[in-house]
């Protein structure tokens, strides 16, 4: 194989690959290119678990489907390196099929998820209410790369992320902005797909950084809904927070594709760093 034919390990579709052991168990590598500091990125982890669910359904002769929803409990932080994915098909239905997926490392369960699969809609919605954002990042948008409040943003190797400086006081030395961010993201090596939409729902730095609460903000629970297949181009993301109270905060992400379609909604509960 020539150098030109060697897949780039930072490419999302390569890093998201799973390998079946033939008994409903799969293996994968949590690569540093899809991590923040020393921690695998949570959105990447749930995209990987959704891919494992689809892979095991294919092995059982189920027709090709799409991820519709992922509800994940983060029990302990996974580490960069090999991971085991154990699956259990809980229901096979005409409209929705449900697969339980457990990600293990060193014999311990790190993340447990319920993945709902089915057919994504293709027709225009009957009604929608979405935030207004430009389809592409403005020239003044800030590239998210290098050191962040949570550690080195290694995802910049595999995707391009831009932040609206009007919502990111923590990046521009402006204290006291509300916990709300607007971003744009796209993979570097391919068009976005439904799995990348899942990652995009968690692409943002923790919104509490605008309140001066910088540092690692581990997710306790994350639920993401995939609403449509993304069109090629930038995905625009708006992230809002409803309340920050003691150690906890919530984060709601709305992901819109270049055609103006809602492609993902993600809500999570996370621990806020100390002020």
């Amino acid at each position: 194989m020539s150098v030109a034919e060697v897949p780039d390990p930072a490419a999302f579709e390569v890093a998201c690959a799973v390998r079946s052991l033939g008994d409903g168990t799969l293996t994968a590598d949590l690569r540093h290119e899809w991590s923040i500091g020393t921690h695998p990125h949570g959105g990447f982890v749930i995209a990987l678990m959704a891919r494992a669910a689809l892979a095991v359904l294919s092995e059982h002769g189920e027709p090709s489907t799409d991820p519709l929803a992922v509800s994940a409990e983060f029990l302990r932080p996974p580490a960069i390196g090999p991971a085991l994915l154990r699956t259990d098909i809980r229901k096979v239905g005409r409209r929705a099929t449900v697969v339980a997926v457990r990600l293990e490392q060193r014999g311990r369960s790190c993340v447990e998820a319920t993945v709902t699969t089915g057919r994504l809609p293709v027709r225009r919605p009957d009604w929608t209410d979405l935030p207004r954002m430009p389809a592409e990042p403005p020239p003044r948008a800030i590239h998210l790369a290098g050191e962040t409040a949570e550690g080195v943003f290694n995802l910049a190797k595999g995707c391009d992320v831009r932040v609206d400086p009007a919502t990111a006081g923590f990046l521009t030395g402006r204290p006291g902005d509300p916990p709300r961010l607007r971003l744009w993201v796209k993979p570097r090596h391919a068009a976005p797909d439904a799995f990348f939409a899942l990652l995009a729902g968690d692409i943002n730095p923790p919104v509490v950084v605008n309140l001066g609460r910088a540092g690692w903000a581990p997710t306790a629970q994350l639920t993401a809904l995939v609403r449509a297949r993304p069109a090629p181009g930038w995905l625009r993301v708006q992230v809002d927070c409803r309340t920050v109270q003691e150690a906890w905060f919530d984060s709601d992400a709305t992901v819109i594709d270049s055609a103006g379609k809602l492609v993902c909604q993600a809500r999570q509960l996370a621990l806020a760093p100390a002020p």
Side-chain angles (χ1 to χ4, degrees):
M1 180 181 287
S2 68
V3 173
E5 295 173 323
V6 175
D8 188 331
F12 179 72
E13 65 274 16
V14 175
C16 246
V18 293
R19 296 169 294 280
S20 174
L21 300 180
D23 59 353
T25 305
L26 307 97
T27 62
D29 292 316
L30 301 179
R31 299 189 56 87
H32 78 277
E33 293 94 345
W34 294 92
S35 67
I36 308 290
T38 60
H39 302 287
H41 181 257
F44 176 81
V45 169
I46 68 166
L48 180 71
M49 298 177 84
R51 192 176 288 275
L54 271 291
V56 77
L57 287 174
S58 178
E59 286 184 359
H60 282 75
E62 294 300 320
S64 177
T65 57
D66 305 296
L68 298 182
V70 182
S71 180
E73 313 289 339
F74 289 76
L75 307 180
R76 52 183 55 85
I80 295 169
L84 197 65
L85 295 152
R86 300 188 187 275
T87 66
D88 178 20
I89 300 174
R90 307 298 299 273
K91 169 197 170 182
V92 176
R94 288 184 298 174
R95 293 292 186 94
T97 292
V98 179
V99 183
V101 183
R102 186 167 72 248
L103 186 149
E104 296 180 359
Q105 287 182 315
R106 302 177 183 88
R108 299 186 3 165
S109 183
C110 298
V111 186
E112 296 182 359
T114 301
V115 181
T116 303
T117 71
R119 296 286 184 184
L120 285 170
V122 294
R123 293 193 292 270
R124 295 177 63 86
D126 298 324
W127 181 87
T128 191
D129 182 18
L130 301 175
R132 293 186 179 183
M133 289 178 60
E136 297 188 355
R140 60 191 176 86
I142 300 170
H143 288 258
L144 190 58
E147 191 68 36
T148 71
E150 291 190 295
V152 178
F153 190 77
N154 295 311
L155 276 76
K157 300 181 179 72
C159 59
D160 190 353
V161 184
R162 316 277 179 98
V163 185
D164 183 352
T167 66
F170 74 100
L171 289 176
T172 59
R174 185 180 63 248
D177 275 7
R180 179 180 301 115
L181 293 170
R182 288 195 297 266
L183 310 91
W184 293 261
V185 58
K186 65 178 179 180
R188 294 191 182 277
H189 305 276
D193 59 9
F195 299 99
F196 191 84
L198 286 167
L199 179 141
D202 188 38
I203 197 64
N204 57 284
V207 290
V208 291
V209 291
N210 271 346
L211 301 178
R213 301 183 72 163
W216 186 44
T219 299
Q221 206 282 340
L222 187 154
T223 296
L225 312 178
V226 183
R227 306 305 305 275
R229 293 186 188 89
W234 288 96
L235 299 180
R236 29 194 156 160
V237 187
Q238 178 164 308
V239 190
D240 298 285
C241 175
R242 301 297 174 226
T243 189
V244 182
Q245 190 170 15
E246 296 182 3
W248 297 98
F249 74 99
D250 59 85
S251 181
D252 286 304
T254 302
V255 185
I256 305 165
D257 73 0
S258 61
K261 301 191 309 288
L262 174 66
V263 296
C264 184
Q265 298 163 272
R267 165 170 281 189
Q268 61 179 288
L269 180 67
L271 281 165

